[in-house]
Structures are given as C-alpha cells and as structure tokens.
Amino acid sequence: VDPVQFETGIDAALLAGATRLRLVACGTSYHAALMGRHFLEHWARIPTEAVIASELRERPLLDEPGLTYIGVSQSGETLDTLEALRHVHKQGFPILAVTNVQGSSLTRLADETILTRVGPEVGVAATKTLLGQVTTLAILALELAQARKTLDEPTLERLAHELRRLPRVLEETLGREQELGVMARQLAQAEDLFFLGRGVHVATAYEAALKFKEITYNHAEGFGSAELKHGPFALLSPETPCVFFVPAGEGRQKVLGNMVEVAARNAKVYAIVQGETADLEGIVDGYVKVAGGDVVGPLAMSLAGQLLAYHAAVGLDRSVDMPRNLAKSVTVE
Ligand code: M6R
C-alpha cells in the first residue's frame, strides 16, 4: 500500500519557513478558522491564532518574523478580510488564501490559494462552505504535519481513512434530520438559548448560535461551557435551553459536568452527542447522536447545528435562504 500523501497543491515554500500562523476571517469563516487553528496546533504543532478581520485592522503591525497569514473567506470579497490582509501585505507578510471563488479579490492579493471547491452557495447563511473550509484547513494541517513529521504514519493513515469516510458521515448526519427537527421545534419556542462546547467545539457552539440567530431571528449565544460559571450562569432559567456538543473521548467528562451544573439551575439540557449515550440519562431532555472522529466529528456536529437552525427557522416560517437585513457578501464597511 502506498503511504498516504496529503496535498493542497500550494507551493510548499510558502509555509516551509512559517513558525507561526494567523488565520484572518469574519463570521462563519472565522468559526472555520477557529477549527482550523485546532487542527494546525494539534497536528502540525505550529503556534496559530484565529483573528476577526475587522479587529486585525485596528491592531498595530509588529515585527513578527516567521509569521504567515491565512485569509479564510467563502466569497473572497469580504471587505474587512481584504482590508486586514492589505494592511499586512504592505509589511511583506506572506499570505495564503482559502476561498471558494476562483479569481476573487482575495486570490489576487494572496501569494497562494487553496480553493475549497464546494460549488456556488446561494443561501445567505453559510453552510456547505463552512464544511468545505474546515475540511480544507484539516487537509492543510495534515500536509504540514506530514512535511514536519509531527504525526506518525499510523496516525496519518487513520486520519486519511476518516477523511475518506466524510461523505458517508455527512449522509448519516442528514439521516438524523427528523430527530433534529423535533429538537429544533422545542428550541424554537425559546426567546434565548445557548450552545455550549469545549475544545474544538467552542467554535462549533459559536457557529451553531450564529446560524440559529441568523435564520430564526431568535437570540442564541455560543459559549465555551467552562465559561458559564464566569457570568452566563446568571442568565439560566427554565426558559433558556442549552444545547451541548458532547464529544466521545477527551473532554467528555468535563462537558457532562457542565451539563449537570446547567440542569441544576433548571435550564433544559439538550445534547448533540458522539459515542455512548448511557451517561446522558437523567441529565438531558433530549439528544441526537452523530458520528465521532478527530476530523469528521466537528463536521458532523456543525452539520447538526445547521439542521437545528434550519428546522427551527422553517417552523417559525422564516425566510431561510434570504434572512432579513443580511447580504451574502459584505463588501462595505
Ligand atoms: O464570504 P466570507 O466567508 O468572507 O463571509 C464572511 C461572513 O460574512 C459570512 O460567513 C457570514 O457570517 C455568513 N452569513 C454566516 O452564515
């Protein structure tokens, strides 16, 4: 069997000398960047941060040798992302683009581009493009891990195998649509709700909340579940359902602990869960099971979050594809 080879097609020289990475993006693309940061640090062992483009524009540019920027933008036309990268481009920092649109302004600004190739996305809410961005950043992280020898061959093989399973995992998650619809209709009744997770699923929680508020117009917030005790606990009541993203392995016990804390404050507790479910008994008011895994896990969780928002919005008779006050691409200040 040939050894597995991860290739994004970019010139390896661009990242060969990178000692730090900074992902720059807005909205859903920022959440994809947060997930990408997780992969790049865990697998390629490169110190990485994800920053909101509009905030980067306000920061002073410091002398940071070895820093490479990665702009993540579905459209490649988001003004804040472009302006932030123009800002750093003037200082000569190398830029890699991750975008869905060939020939977009971002591709013209960047030194190298990886196209996510998920096809045009018509709906204002980013859905398949989030999945494409996260998958692309995972492959980039694995390519760098392979080049830098930060993962051994069996681990690379296992992760490659997972990636090959991705279409099936997404199909399976779509197969949970009816159960997710039942949960969504319960969530849609609340004026405020919270999505919670730890580790990579802090980003999953942020994204689920963004999707939910964007297309249902109900208030939803995403938090790292360990942050609850630092303030958001004060918001909990029987009227504030909490949806937890519960992983199968590392971090599960801590998430379960956070769920118990929330249940003790009389808030309804729901779970999108990977792995076993016996330990949820007595804690949750409802759960839906999705596939686990280092690569496919966050993608299955994110798709479940999208389906919750979709079914809640349909139930509330919202315009799912064209939510009010929003544009597909934000090309102005
Ligand atoms: O085209 P971009 O990825 O740069 O767009 C960034 C955001 O405007 C976009 O993700 C926005 O948050 C979506 N409407 C979210 O669904």
Side-chain angles (χ1 to χ4, degrees), residues 26-29 72-78 81 124-126 133 207 210-211 214 326-330:
C26 300
T28 289
S29 295
V72 184
S73 170
Q74 183 285 129
S75 61
E77 301 296 347
T78 297
T81 306
V124 167
Q133 289 168 334
E207 174 58 12
L210 175 63
K211 217 88 300 172
E214 195 175 13
L326 295 174
K328 179 67 185 157
S329 192
V330 184

Side-chain angles (χ1 to χ4, degrees), residues 26-36 39 72-74 98 100 116 118 121 125-138 166 170 203-204 206-208 210-211 298-306 328:
C26 300
T28 289
S29 295
Y30 170 65
H31 301 149
L34 287 172
M35 293 187 206
F39 300 143
V72 184
S73 170
Q74 183 285 129
V98 174
N100 198 35
T116 49
V118 296
E121 184 174 64
T127 50
K128 67 176 178 178
T129 54
L130 175 275
L131 302 180
Q133 289 168 334
V134 176
T135 308
T136 302
L137 291 168
L166 179 58
L170 296 181
T204 313
Y206 289 165
E207 174 58 12
L210 175 63
K211 217 88 300 172
L299 292 160
M301 293 284 214
S302 298
L303 176 54
Q306 292 171 1
K328 179 67 185 157

Side-chain angles (χ1 to χ4, degrees), residues 22-31 33-34 49-61 69-88 95 106 109 330 332-333:
R22 188 170 288 151
L23 296 145
V24 183
C26 300
T28 289
S29 295
Y30 170 65
H31 301 149
L34 287 172
E49 65 171 334
V51 299
I52 295 172
S54 54
E55 294 301 320
L56 180 66
R57 291 174 67 185
E58 309 299 324
R59 281 167 66 171
L61 282 175
Y69 280 89
I70 303 180
V72 184
S73 170
Q74 183 285 129
S75 61
E77 301 296 347
T78 297
L79 186 85
D80 281 329
T81 306
L82 290 172
E83 285 300 317
L85 291 169
R86 283 182 189 126
H87 181 56
V88 302
I95 298 174
L106 179 57
L109 179 65
V330 184
V332 292
E333 283 284 350

Side-chain angles (χ1 to χ4, degrees), residues 100-317:
N100 198 35
V101 182
Q102 189 154 29
S104 58
S105 302
L106 179 57
T107 64
R108 294 198 297 277
L109 179 65
D111 300 287
E112 291 282 334
T113 295
I114 310 176
L115 292 172
T116 49
R117 297 184 194 280
V118 296
E121 184 174 64
V122 179
V124 167
T127 50
K128 67 176 178 178
T129 54
L130 175 275
L131 302 180
Q133 289 168 334
V134 176
T135 308
T136 302
L137 291 168
I139 294 169
L140 175 67
L142 290 169
E143 183 180 31
L144 291 172
Q146 194 159 40
R148 291 167 186 238
K149 303 196 186 332
T150 49
L151 290 179
D152 57 25
E153 266 316 310
T155 306
L156 289 166
E157 284 285 353
R158 177 177 65 74
L159 294 170
H161 179 70
E162 253 198 48
L163 274 169
R164 288 189 205 103
R165 269 197 318 126
L166 179 58
R168 194 148 36 91
V169 166
L170 296 181
E171 287 287 341
E172 278 166 23
T173 312
L174 288 168
R176 301 285 183 182
E177 201 165 353
Q178 208 186 344
E179 294 162 69
L180 288 162
V182 171
M183 189 186 287
R185 280 189 285 284
Q186 289 163 9
L187 299 177
Q189 290 165 20
E191 282 181 20
D192 304 284
L193 74 150
F194 302 108
F195 289 94
L196 300 145
R198 296 178 79 110
V200 69
H201 295 307
V202 174
T204 313
Y206 289 165
E207 174 58 12
L210 175 63
K211 217 88 300 172
F212 206 90
K213 64 187 132 193
E214 195 175 13
I215 61 172
T216 67
Y217 314 155
N218 284 4
H219 176 233
E221 287 306 325
F223 291 113
S225 57
E227 280 294 294
L228 283 171
K229 57 186 172 296
H230 299 291
F233 263 168
L235 298 169
L236 297 181
S237 78
E239 277 75 52
T240 54
C242 294
V243 183
F244 284 83
F245 294 98
V246 186
E250 203 186 339
R252 183 181 180 101
Q253 287 312 317
K254 287 186 173 172
V255 177
L256 289 177
N258 297 142
M259 293 165 77
V260 170
E261 291 167 344
V262 166
R265 285 157 180 85
N266 298 319
K268 288 214 166 9
V269 177
Y270 296 91
I272 306 297
V273 59
Q274 297 168 333
E276 290 310 308
T277 55
D279 52 3
L280 302 181
E281 294 300 329
I283 306 177
V284 295
D285 295 277
Y287 68 83
V288 176
K289 195 172 160 156
V290 297
D294 292 335
V295 192
V296 300
L299 292 160
M301 293 284 214
S302 298
L303 176 54
Q306 292 171 1
L307 289 167
L308 284 178
Y310 171 79
H311 284 286
V314 169
L316 293 165
D317 204 20

